[in-house]
Amino acid sequence: MSLPSSSTTTPAERGQCQAIDLIQKIHRIDDYWQPRVVAEMNDYQFKVVKVHGEFQWHVHAETDETFIVLEGELHIHHRASLSDEGVIVLRAGQMAVVPKGVEHRPSAQAEVKMLLVEPRGVVNTGDGAPGVRTVENDQWI
């Protein structure tokens, strides 16, 4: 059972005991930086998203965030302070975990398709004020 991307209702099966075609799900997303839930495990959600361009700097004070690149090349700029900045470069088949409390900004020069793993209820733009790219939680596709 698949629900429209605008739904905030959790499917009864939560994406369990079934094969999920991640790329097919991503093709159903219209815009960049609009993560959609495809499955849940305990209190964690698996979200697919396609991205292009730069996201905003943000931090998740209470949780780590996992990025798994399916197609393309993602850059995750991160900083523990203004004088301590680095970048993680991920290509298809690679993943990285950004620890809680680390400010970061994903970017992609071309379209990237990826899977995010994070606890239910995490706001994609982090702990700051909501912005133009803030997405409502629990949108299933």
Side-chain angles (χ1 to χ4, degrees):
M1 172 177 141
S2 292
L3 296 177
S5 60
S6 62
S7 174
T8 58
T9 303
T10 303
E13 68 276 2
R14 297 176 28 207
Q16 297 178 348
C17 291
Q18 60 182 293
I20 298 170
D21 186 327
L22 300 175
I23 300 300
Q24 181 271 335
K25 294 282 191 181
I26 291 171
H27 284 297
R28 293 177 51 197
I29 299 173
D30 294 328
D31 296 320
Y32 294 122
W33 306 105
Q34 300 293 306
R36 297 294 186 260
V37 181
V38 295
E40 286 185 337
M41 178 187 72
N42 300 318
D43 292 331
Y44 281 83
Q45 291 183 325
F46 296 84
K47 300 175 182 178
V48 292
V49 65
K50 61 183 177 181
V51 302
H52 185 244
E54 292 185 349
F55 201 64
Q56 64 200 52
W57 282 101
H58 65 285
V59 64
H60 302 280
E62 300 299 323
T63 187
D64 300 341
E65 185 175 25
T66 301
F67 297 81
I68 302 168
V69 173
L70 304 171
E71 290 182 8
E73 181 177 290
L74 181 73
H75 293 212
I76 305 173
H77 303 267
H78 59 88
R79 58 187 178 204
S81 67
L82 292 177
S83 63
D84 180 23
E85 187 172 325
V87 64
I88 304 164
V89 178
L90 298 176
R91 294 174 183 88
Q94 295 182 316
M95 66 172 277
V97 177
V98 175
K100 67 182 173 184
V102 172
E103 189 177 25
H104 58 287
R105 177 182 54 88
S107 67
Q109 292 182 352
E111 184 175 273
V112 172
K113 295 175 178 77
M114 66 179 167
L115 179 68
L116 302 172
V117 182
E118 54 198 15
R120 185 184 308 114
V122 169
V123 176
N124 68 322
T125 52
D127 298 342
V132 67
R133 289 198 168 152
T134 303
V135 174
E136 184 179 336
N137 274 314
D138 297 324
Q139 292 190 57
W140 286 75
I141 192 163

